[in-house]
C-alpha cells in the first residue's frame, strides 16, 4: 500500500466535494473516487434489503439513517470505514472525509488534503440540508491547515476550473520526484 496515492476532500454536505473529485479525476486519470459514504450505503442497503442504487438515488430520504450507521460503526472501530476505502486497489480520492480521526489517519498516510467551503445559503440552493449540527458536519470546521482550500460560492464551471488547477498542482507534487530521476 506504500505506493498508493490518496487525495481526500472535506466539506459540508452540498458543498461540491463530488464535483471537485470528478474535476480532479479529469486531470489525474490514474485516480478513482472511493467515498467513505459508498461503503456506508452498501452496508445500509444490505441491512434494509435495498440496492445500492436505490439508497444512492434517495440519499436525502436516508441521510439521517446513513449518518447513524456511520457513527455506530465508527464507535465500534474508529477505522471501520477507512479500512473499507483503503482496501480498494490503486490511487484513490476520498471525497467525504468529515471527522478529525479520518483526517488525521489519511494525513499520516501522506494524503493530499482539500477543503471545499461553501456558504450555507448556497448549499441550501443545491438541496435539503439535514442534521447540520452532527459531528460529521461540524468537527472539521476549525481546521485550517489544509493543503488546498476551494471556495464554492460561484458557478459550477468556476468550481471545476479551480479544482483542475489544484489537480495540476497535485500532479506536479506527486509525480515530480519520479520525473527528476
Amino acid at each position: 500500500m506504500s505506493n498508493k496515492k490518496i487525495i481526500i476532500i472535506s466539506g459540508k454536505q452540498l458543498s461540491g466535494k463530488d464535483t471537485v473529485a470528478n474535476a480532479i479525476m479529469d486531470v489525474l486519470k490514474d485516480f478513482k473516487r472511493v467515498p467513505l459514504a459508498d461503503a456506508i450505503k452498501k452496508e445500509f442497503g444490505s441491512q434494509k434489503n435495498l440496492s445500492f442504487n436505490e439508497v444512492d438515488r434517495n440519499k436525502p430520504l436516508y441521510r439521517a439513517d446513513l449518518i447513524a450507521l456511520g457513527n455506530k460503526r465508527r464507535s465500534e472501530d474508529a477505522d471501520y470505514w477507512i479500512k473499507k476505502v483503503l482496501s480498494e486497489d490503486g490511487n484513490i480520492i476520498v471525497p467525504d472525509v468529515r471527522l478529525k480521526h479520518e483526517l488525521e489517519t489519511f494525513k499520516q498516510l501522506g494524503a493530499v488534503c482539500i477543503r471545499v467551503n461553501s456558504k450555507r445559503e448556497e448549499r441550501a440552493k443545491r438541496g435539503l440540508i439535514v442534521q447540520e449540527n452532527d459531528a460529521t458536519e461540524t468537527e472539521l470546521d476549525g481546521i485550517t491547515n489544509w493543503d488546498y482550500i476551494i471556495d464554492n460560492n460561484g458557478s459550477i464551471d468556476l468550481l471545476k476550473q479551480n479544482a483542475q488547477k489544484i489537480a495540476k498542482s497535485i500532479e506536479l507534487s506527486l509525480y515530480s520526484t519520479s520525473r527528476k530521476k
Side-chain angles (χ1 to χ4, degrees):
M1 191 179 76
S2 61
N3 292 331
K4 181 186 289 284
K5 293 174 177 58
I6 305 167
I7 298 171
I8 62 132
I9 303 172
S10 175
K12 293 185 178 292
Q13 58 187 288
L14 305 168
S15 62
K17 299 178 299 293
D18 286 320
T19 301
V20 168
N22 291 332
I24 289 172
M25 288 186 306
D26 287 343
V27 174
L28 300 174
K29 306 275 189 205
D30 61 332
F31 277 78
K32 65 180 174 181
R33 190 179 151 277
V34 184
L36 293 159
D38 281 5
I40 298 170
K41 290 174 200 169
K42 288 174 187 171
E43 188 166 314
F44 177 79
S46 176
Q47 290 177 357
K48 302 293 182 184
N49 199 26
L50 299 167
S51 71
F52 174 83
N53 288 337
E54 168 68 20
V55 175
D56 195 48
R57 250 193 331 269
N58 296 294
K59 190 167 55 175
L61 179 64
Y62 300 121
R63 189 180 296 268
D65 292 328
L66 292 166
I67 289 170
L69 176 62
N71 289 339
K72 177 181 185 293
R73 289 288 184 248
R74 278 186 214 96
S75 73
E76 297 164 357
D77 175 357
D79 295 334
Y80 185 86
W81 302 114
I82 295 169
K83 290 173 189 172
K84 297 272 188 188
V85 300
L86 289 176
S87 70
E88 293 286 330
D89 292 334
N91 298 330
I92 61 173
I93 298 177
V94 184
D96 56 350
V97 171
R98 296 175 172 273
L99 298 171
K100 285 180 185 175
H101 175 75
E102 294 168 351
L103 176 62
E104 290 163 5
T105 300
F106 284 117
K107 276 187 170 193
Q108 288 171 356
L109 295 170
V112 174
C113 304
I114 301 170
R115 177 71 175 188
V116 181
N117 290 326
S118 184
K119 295 176 186 167
R120 187 190 190 286
E121 49 273 15
E122 290 297 320
R123 293 183 298 113
K125 292 175 189 174
R126 299 176 191 138
L128 178 65
I129 296 173
V130 299
Q131 288 194 286
E132 62 187 315
N133 295 318
D134 187 82
T136 60
E137 288 297 313
T138 62
E139 198 169 288
L140 299 180
D141 286 353
I143 304 295
T144 58
N145 61 335
W146 301 96
D147 295 314
Y148 301 93
I149 297 173
I150 300 175
D151 287 315
N152 180 22
N153 296 304
S155 71
I156 193 165
D157 288 336
L158 181 60
L159 177 62
K160 288 177 182 177
Q161 287 171 14
N162 288 335
Q164 288 175 345
K165 284 179 192 172
I166 287 171
K168 289 173 184 166
S169 174
I170 291 170
E171 183 176 38
L172 287 173
S173 68
L174 288 180
Y175 300 108
S176 63
T177 318
S178 59
R179 288 184 181 153
K180 288 179 185 173
K181 293 181 179 177

